[in-house]
Amino acid sequence: MPAEQASERKDDHVRLAAAQQRETPQPGGWDDIAFVHHALAGVDADTVDLHVEVAGSRWSMPFYVNAMTGGSASTGDINRDLAIAARETGVAIASGSLSIALDNPELLSTFRVIRDENPDGFVMANVGIERSPVDAQRAVDALGADALQVHINAVQETVMPEGSRSFSSWPASLEAILAAVDVPVIVKEVGFGLSAATLARLADMGVRYADVSGAGGTDFMRIENSRRAGGDYAYLAGWGQSAAECLLEAPADAPTLLASGGVRTPLDVARALALGARAVGASGSFLSVVLDGGAEALITRIREWSDHLTALHSLVGATDPGALRRTDLIVRGRAAEFARARGIDLESLAHRAGGKDAR
């Protein structure tokens, strides 16, 4: 695809994603997850430590700026603001897919700005699963990346006017990337979820980290369908599993899990952590902040999330993110229906704390 046409497509993605953020929020599954309130279970906020270990590094917060954009002048400006906010807050950050820059090197600066503005931060590069091992390493090298996200996007490709329909080679392509790159690889969906069977298959392939990236956030089916003259794939609305559903059914031997998809608030972060995620990615909710107020607004928002997440840990009696996995959870609504259909024991989730409030 010519660089100009590819850049227009990236601008379309941002415009359509921003439009989705202005709509009434769609159910993303997180509201189906509730903490049981134990009124005497709290701990002092100054004893809470939000640090987590991800991909061989220690992150100061259990959430991160997830993959968004790049590939045009305007999206390069967005990446600059995202990177400045990451630098000033210490939060980890992922780039958008570098495929466009691998094919059109003149666009690389719109991604490279993430590292230029954030020289010491944890940066994740991003490529599609169909890219060659050489391209995957080129993406890592281009950003001096600490990890590589490899995204799986069969639904998006199906609806994309210029998308691929050849998916059978993807597992072998992923295995080749895993063998070739010299940084940790994080396999992620783009908003339709990773099922238990998929997570088990990834583990068998040697994948150590996976972002379940469920439905409920930026909807790339809708984005690509909006780019079709007839919008003829609208009937696929609602395809996929939410991140909460994916975490509920994740097998015990799954890769270390990250979660994203419709993350709107620090409470959603806490819910994901309590369901077993090591860290939680946000894209659309941070994008809207940057578009409205630039880097300074996002810096303020990230610091607010960190403060609020500390307070939520204190409220439920968790001194660190791992302790949230021992809190009592009630699963309701669509997530509960999904869990029952998949044979998941929800009663045990509601009794994980062991009566700690009765001390």
Side-chain angles (χ1 to χ4, degrees), residues 304-344:
E304 177 185 89
W305 276 35
S306 181
D307 290 344
H308 284 210
L309 191 57
T310 298
L312 291 173
H313 276 69
S314 173
L315 173 64
V316 301
T319 56
D320 57 66
L324 288 175
R325 301 186 191 187
R326 298 187 292 275
T327 56
D328 295 332
L329 297 177
I330 302 296
V331 182
R332 307 177 233 192
R334 173 177 161 167
E337 179 183 344
F338 174 90
R340 285 191 291 268
R342 301 289 280 174
I344 298 163

Side-chain angles (χ1 to χ4, degrees), residues 166-347:
S166 299
F167 305 136
S168 62
S169 63
W170 284 10
S173 179
L174 175 58
E175 288 180 324
I177 291 172
L178 290 168
V181 299
D182 57 9
V183 296
V185 171
I186 302 166
V187 176
K188 73 180 296 289
E189 240 285 351
V190 299
F192 303 96
L194 296 176
S195 67
T198 304
L199 289 169
R201 187 171 184 182
L202 291 175
D204 288 344
M205 295 168 66
V207 173
R208 295 180 59 198
Y209 305 94
D211 179 352
V212 297
S213 190
T218 302
D219 188 336
F220 278 98
M221 187 287 295
R222 289 180 56 201
I223 285 175
E224 298 300 351
N225 198 47
S226 296
R227 298 178 58 242
R228 298 180 68 88
D232 48 327
Y233 275 96
Y235 59 80
L236 285 182
W239 187 278
Q241 297 88 252
S242 71
E245 291 164 353
C246 295
L247 292 171
L248 280 167
E249 77 157 356
D253 58 353
T256 297
L257 296 177
L258 310 179
S260 60
V263 175
R264 308 151 300 177
T265 67
L267 178 55
D268 290 343
V269 175
R271 288 161 162 160
L273 296 171
L275 286 173
R278 179 70 59 86
V280 183
S283 296
S285 53
F286 286 166
L287 173 64
S288 61
V289 172
V290 164
L291 292 177
D292 290 342
E296 287 302 319
L298 184 56
I299 291 167
T300 299
R301 179 62 55 86
I302 290 171
R303 288 174 175 164
E304 177 185 89
W305 276 35
S306 181
D307 290 344
H308 284 210
L309 191 57
T310 298
L312 291 173
H313 276 69
S314 173
L315 173 64
V316 301
T319 56
D320 57 66
L324 288 175
R325 301 186 191 187
R326 298 187 292 275
T327 56
D328 295 332
L329 297 177
I330 302 296
V331 182
R332 307 177 233 192
R334 173 177 161 167
E337 179 183 344
F338 174 90
R340 285 191 291 268
R342 301 289 280 174
I344 298 163
D345 177 14
L346 296 181
E347 185 173 348

Side-chain angles (χ1 to χ4, degrees), residues 121-191:
F122 191 98
V123 171
M124 293 168 270
N126 181 303
V127 296
I129 193 172
E130 80 287 354
R131 302 302 298 207
S132 71
V134 171
D135 281 350
Q137 187 61 52
R138 286 173 60 206
V140 170
D141 294 341
L143 300 190
D146 303 284
L148 175 68
Q149 289 184 335
V150 177
H151 69 258
I152 306 175
N153 64 333
V155 178
Q156 181 186 13
E157 293 285 350
T158 296
V159 181
M160 189 188 305
E162 61 277 68
S164 170
R165 306 292 175 81
S166 299
F167 305 136
S168 62
S169 63
W170 284 10
S173 179
L174 175 58
E175 288 180 324
I177 291 172
L178 290 168
V181 299
D182 57 9
V183 296
V185 171
I186 302 166
V187 176
K188 73 180 296 289
E189 240 285 351
V190 299

Side-chain angles (χ1 to χ4, degrees), residues 20-21 23-31 215-217 219 222 237-238 261-262 264:
Q20 288 184 17
Q21 288 294 311
E23 297 173 358
T24 301
Q26 299 297 308
W30 299 118
D31 290 338
D219 188 336
R222 289 180 56 201
R264 308 151 300 177

